[in-house]
Every structure is written in C-alpha cells, then in structure tokens.
Amino acid sequence: MEVKDIQLYINGKFVDAVSGKKFDNFNPYTNERINRVAEGDSADIDAAVKAAHAAFNGPWGKMKVSERLRYIHKIADLIDEHIDEIAPLESLDTGLPISQTKNMVARSAQNFRFYAEMVSSRLAGEAYQVDGDFLNYTIRKPVGVAGLITPWNAPFMLETWKLAPALATGNTVVMKPGELSPITANRLAEIIDQAELPEGVFNVVHGFGETAGASLVAHPDVRLISFTGETVTGVEITKNGADTLKRVSMELGGKSPIIIFDDADFERALDACTWGIFSFNGERCTANSRLFLHASIYDDFVSALKERVQNIVIGDPMDPTTQVGPLIHRDHYKKVKSYIDLAIQEGAEVFSGKIPEHLHKGNFVAPTLLLNVKNDMRVAQEEIFGPVLAVMKFEKEDQVIELANDVKYGLAGYVWTKDIQRAHRIAQAVDAGMVWINSQNVRDLRIPFGGSKASGIGREGGHYAFDFYTETQVIHVALGNHHIPQFGKK
Ligand code: NAD
C-alpha cells in the first residue's frame, strides 16, 4: 500500500514544517518505512494557534449553531463514506487488526453525529427566579482555542472522540497526534477540508511530544488541553500548563482488575476476559490486565485461558481473520518483552501462544499469561500495554477488593458473578472511574468516560464533555427596582 508523505494542516492548507524537517514512520508489520512526516515544532504550533484564534474570533465564532452543526453532521457522513479506506490506513499505521479498526472508524463517525445531536438537545443553561426581583440565568460559551494531544493506540477513534465535542460546542482546535500513528489524523484533516469548514477551525501539527506537544501546552492563546496518554506525560503536561492556567482533561494509563467469582457464567467470563486483554493487541487503556480468579475455579479457568491463548489468530493486520497483530513500534515491542522477562525474574510462570515463523519481521508479541503472580510484583502493578495478562487467585470478597484497589491506577474494573448483591457491592467498592458487571467493555456514548487516581482527571463523554469544552457564564437581571445601597448620597 503506497501512502504519501504527511504534511501539517494549518489554516486550511497542507504545508511542510517551517524547519523543513521530517521524520520516518514505520510499518509495525514489516518494520519498513511507510512514509515521512513533517516534524512540526513551536513555529508551526504558533502558526496553527494564530489560525485557530482568528477562526474563533471570526467565521466559526460568529456562525449560527444550526449551521455549525450541519458541518459536524457532514464530517460524520464523510467518515462513514470512507470507512473502507480509513480502516486499512489505520491498520497499516498501527498494526491493529482490520476487523477491529473498521469498528473503531464507524464509532468515530458516531462521535460526530452524537455531539451534533447533544449540542442541539442538551447544551442548555439554567434559570433561577429570585423572589420575583431577579432572574439569574446561565449560558454555555465555547472556551476558545482547544489543544488536543492524542496517543497512538486507537488514534482515529480517540482523535474524533475529542474533536467532535470540541468543535460541536464552538471551539477551534489545534491537534497534536501521536507521532507513531500520524496517517489517519491527516485523513481526518482531508475530510474536514472536504466538508469545507472555515480555514483555521481545525489544524493538525505533527511532531514530537517534547517539542510540538510542549509548545501547544505552553501557548498562552490555547485555553484548554485535552490529553490522552501515559500518566507520566499527563503529570508533565499539568505542570507545564500551570503557568498559563490551562484547563486540563487527563485520560491516562490503567492496570484494571477483572474479578471472577465461582458462580460466574464461566464461558462468557472467559470470552470477556480474553477479549478484554488481547483485543487492540493489548494496547488498550481499559484492558483487564489483572485477573483475580476465585480459588475454586482457578485451575479450570487457567486451563481454558491457556487453550484460548494457543488458538488466538496472530497475523497480518490486514487479514480479516487476524485477532492479534504486531505492536506499534520496535521500542514498544522491546518494552513489552522486557516485562515478560521481568515476570520470570520476579518468580512468575510464563505461558505464551506461538508466533507463526513467517511473521518474524513484525513487532509480534504472542498473547501471554503470567501465572503465580503476586499483587506486589511490578508486572502486577505497572502498565505493560501489550497482550500480557497477570493472573492471581483469591478466596474472600474483602481480600479481593483490597487486592484490586492496591494499585496506583483507577481507570476501569470488571466483575463477574451471578449474585446481584455481591456484583453491586464489589463494583461500588472498586476504586475506578468505570466498572462493568458481567459485561465486556461496551459503553453508550451518553455515559461519562474517565478514571480516578493515577488514571486521570475529569470526565469526558456525554454531556460531561460540556463542562470541559464550554465556559459557563451567569447573567444576573434585575426585574424591578431592588434596594441598592446609596453610598455617599446626602
Ligand atoms: P504518551 O504519553 O507517550 O504520548 C501521548 C501524546 O503525548 C503523544 O502525542 C505525545 O507526542 C505527546 N507528548 C509526549 N510528551 C509530551 C509533552 N511533554 N508535552 C506535550 N505532549 C507530549 O502516550 P502513548 O504511548 O502515545 O499512549 C499510550 C498511553 O495512553 C497508555 O498509558 C494508555 O493507557 C493511555 N491511554 C489512555 C486512555 C484513556 O482514555 N484513559 C485511552 C488510550 C490510551
């Protein structure tokens, strides 16, 4: 598949970086170069922010809401029309299996349609009558130029997840995509160009975090930063944004527990647990990477898991039958492998599937179970972000809650039991932003998304995104001649 080199998208034009620099983008399946990417830095961020600022004070800011939302619907329609072309680009760039990227792209179109509808139906203020003397009411205004910083693990979906509410509520945007997955961000820019949004409403600056990303965070005319990525990066961005009082939304890492009791539906829990850790190649923020099994089902469940791990189809991400593809980059592959080595040093037993011989060029890590894990081992505490599941055993409810919560992250949790009281009890006791009972990770777009502890700050999704992407303004109106103190009057 031939893919052209990637430029920046600033003020409605595809341009090279001011410095003229480019970096190479690699195919995770072959480790050959796919294309070259314009390497933006502070000069390009500056130009993009200027364009976004002018669009906010100009056509986009002055546009009627109904007209703005027509653009948002148009973007959704164009994404839908191009799913069969965007999904292969995403798989080529990230190594994610095509059967999964197709669903992600379809979800991306829904993100735009959903926020167009949410803004027309739910972006509302409140009004308070004050003893017949006053009316106080609130309105929601866009904040200004929004900086969106995104990771490589589900790029198109996560970019649209932020972009749809940011634009639908009337902000303009400068986006800095993950440097390891730049291709579909530009396909999104092409779609927005085709939808004929006014120049400067949406801008993309590719480049590295420490240069392009950091300049976006530090820019005084950028009012907010929505960030998805690693916890350490989130901390750095929060610090760097403090000087300009940035409003931040942080969607960070996870090490989420799945707790399976002896009365759970065995086969469904097995399906959900296997999918939850090995889908998206294990590069999934909400992955159930820590499995807590009730002692009485431990042996049976582990042997069923071993069978699944051996049978998972590892292969070319473009093949519709592939279930696990190559990891994003050689460096990430090495990091995940180093955790498997660490597991052995820490005393765990490693059980892995087999990678077919012909796949030796790609960044393949076979689906792996870490058995005999103790919760205080690093492999049970640190985010590996690959197809690696740490398996632990428990006897009692109190014990498993303590173990599940004994981790710095708090993004997601999963509970499997047929006892309805226990299900809710455990779900509410797990320190995580989102908990699923007898369910895999499916979510309705109206529901808030986000984590607690080291997994994030704030919630996006549903109407919760309005709290982040809009400013609430209060108008106080006097309805009569209320008392006003008369200082200095004789
Ligand atoms: P990362 O933190 O390395 O990079 C994310 C983005 O931040 C990239 O665009 C990068 O260039 C940029 N960046 C890096 N340093 C920066 C700096 N100093 N200033 C500004 N920008 C900077 O994350 P990654 O490796 O791309 O993504 C994987 C991580 O993302 C995992 O930890 C995963 O759990 C997390 N994630 C979280 C969610 C969620 O919703 N909670 C969703 C997906 C991924």
Side-chain angles (χ1 to χ4, degrees):
M1 200 184 209
E2 278 288 304
V3 183
K4 61 181 184 230
D5 283 354
I6 293 215
Q7 293 180 294
L8 315 179
Y9 182 66
I10 297 176
N11 207 21
K13 287 175 196 63
F14 288 92
V15 293
D16 287 331
V18 172
S19 67
K21 283 196 201 161
K22 292 181 179 180
F23 63 93
D24 291 336
N25 180 33
F26 292 97
N27 180 343
Y29 183 55
T30 60
N31 276 304
E32 283 161 13
R33 188 171 80 187
I34 302 176
N35 57 3
R36 308 193 74 207
V37 184
E39 185 186 327
D41 60 25
S42 60
D44 308 282
I45 290 286
D46 212 35
V49 174
K50 269 201 186 78
H53 203 257
F56 184 74
N57 291 323
W60 194 246
K62 297 193 167 81
M63 191 179 283
K64 285 211 163 75
V65 177
S66 55
E67 193 185 344
R68 188 168 84 214
L69 297 183
R70 272 201 294 279
Y71 282 108
I72 306 297
H73 276 293
K74 180 97 185 277
I75 297 169
D77 293 344
L78 286 168
I79 293 174
D80 270 340
E81 276 171 36
H82 294 97
I83 288 177
D84 289 340
E85 174 210 331
I86 299 168
L89 286 173
E90 187 84 321
S91 290
L92 174 81
D93 209 9
T94 60
L96 291 169
I98 187 85
S99 60
Q100 295 167 33
T101 53
K102 274 194 177 159
N103 292 336
M104 288 176 181
V105 179
R107 182 80 162 187
S108 305
Q110 280 175 34
N111 285 336
F112 282 98
R113 210 161 277 125
F114 172 78
Y115 273 108
E117 283 160 17
M118 279 295 284
V119 165
S120 59
S121 61
R122 291 288 300 271
L123 188 60
E126 294 171 305
Y128 299 91
Q129 290 165 266
V130 187
D131 292 336
D133 294 334
F134 298 94
L135 181 66
N136 293 357
Y137 67 92
T138 64
I139 58 167
R140 299 274 203 165
K141 292 159 76 163
V143 177
V145 179
L148 311 183
I149 302 181
T150 52
W152 48 258
N153 69 312
F156 195 73
M157 214 278 290
L158 290 171
E159 286 153 13
T160 60
W161 164 246
K162 294 181 186 300
L163 185 61
L167 291 183
T169 51
N171 301 284
T172 56
V173 167
V174 177
M175 185 167 89
K176 208 304 274 171
E179 56 270 37
L180 301 180
S181 59
I183 295 179
T184 51
N186 267 42
R187 196 62 196 87
L188 184 58
E190 284 168 8
I191 280 175
I192 285 176
D193 204 63
Q194 204 183 338
E196 296 181 335
L197 268 74
E199 288 170 357
V201 172
F202 176 60
N203 306 272
V204 182
V205 178
H206 293 283
F208 297 105
E210 308 74 49
T211 47
S215 309
L216 185 60
V217 172
H219 203 294
D221 290 335
V222 174
R223 303 291 308 282
L224 60 85
I225 294 286
S226 174
F227 171 74
T228 298
E230 285 191 28
T231 298
V232 282
T233 318
V235 171
E236 176 84 15
I237 288 177
T238 307
K239 283 184 192 158
N240 294 344
D243 287 340
T244 48
L245 277 181
K246 285 285 180 307
R247 176 185 298 199
V248 291
S249 168
M250 293 281 149
E251 302 284 2
L252 310 175
K255 188 81 177 176
S256 302
I258 177 168
I259 302 169
I260 306 182
F261 284 90
D262 47 353
D263 65 343
D265 181 326
F266 190 96
E267 284 301 319
R268 288 182 63 74
L270 180 64
D271 288 341
C273 178
T274 311
W275 163 261
I277 182 64
F278 300 124
S279 55
F280 305 179
N281 302 340
E283 299 161 326
R284 178 175 196 151
C285 57
T286 49
N288 45 250
S289 47
R290 299 156 77 224
L291 168 60
F292 293 97
L293 280 172
H294 190 268
S296 68
I297 55 166
Y298 184 89
D299 290 343
D300 289 347
F301 205 93
V302 167
S303 65
L305 268 176
K306 284 182 173 170
E307 197 182 327
R308 293 293 180 100
V309 158
Q310 280 171 315
N311 292 330
I312 284 175
V313 182
I314 305 172
D316 182 347
M318 295 300 180
D319 181 338
T321 63
T322 292
Q323 293 172 324
V324 168
L327 300 185
I328 183 82
H329 192 272
R330 206 68 191 162
D331 291 345
H332 187 56
Y333 160 91
K334 287 182 191 155
K335 177 183 152 188
V336 174
K337 290 290 254 187
S338 76
Y339 270 108
I340 296 174
D341 293 342
L342 175 66
I344 296 168
Q345 285 166 31
E346 289 188 302
E349 180 197 329
V350 173
F351 182 91
S352 296
K354 285 250 169 333
I355 300 163
E357 193 48 42
H358 71 280
L359 300 177
H360 63 275
K361 282 192 186 158
N363 305 323
F364 285 95
V365 173
T368 297
L369 304 175
L370 307 180
L371 305 168
N372 299 330
V373 168
K374 302 272 173 300
N375 196 47
D376 58 0
M377 291 180 182
R378 283 181 55 200
V379 290
Q381 292 288 321
E382 297 176 17
E383 186 182 45
I384 299 175
F385 219 54
V388 181
L389 175 64
V391 186
M392 287 165 273
K393 198 186 278 187
F394 73 93
E395 308 259 354
K396 297 233 158 54
E397 195 176 308
D398 287 353
Q399 176 202 12
V400 77
I401 292 170
E402 205 179 308
L403 288 169
N405 287 340
D406 184 14
V407 68
K408 72 174 179 175
Y409 295 107
L411 189 56
Y414 306 84
V415 184
W416 284 83
T417 172
K418 282 192 183 141
D419 177 337
I420 188 169
Q421 292 176 323
R422 175 161 67 188
H424 287 275
R425 214 163 45 231
I426 303 269
Q428 293 186 20
V430 171
D431 289 337
M434 302 169 285
V435 179
W436 280 264
I437 295 175
N438 296 335
S439 165
Q440 61 122 329
N441 179 334
V442 279
R443 66 174 279 278
D444 188 278
L445 289 176
R446 290 169 294 185
I447 293 299
F449 185 98
S452 57
K453 301 201 287 187
S455 291
I457 303 173
R459 295 290 181 271
E460 295 193 34
H463 67 79
Y464 296 84
F466 294 158
D467 292 338
F468 181 65
Y469 289 108
T470 70
E471 194 79 70
T472 301
Q473 186 182 32
V474 187
I475 316 285
H476 303 259
V477 194
L479 300 178
N481 295 327
H482 63 287
H483 168 72
I484 302 176
Q486 298 180 318
F487 271 29
K489 185 170 181 190
K490 290 218 166 127

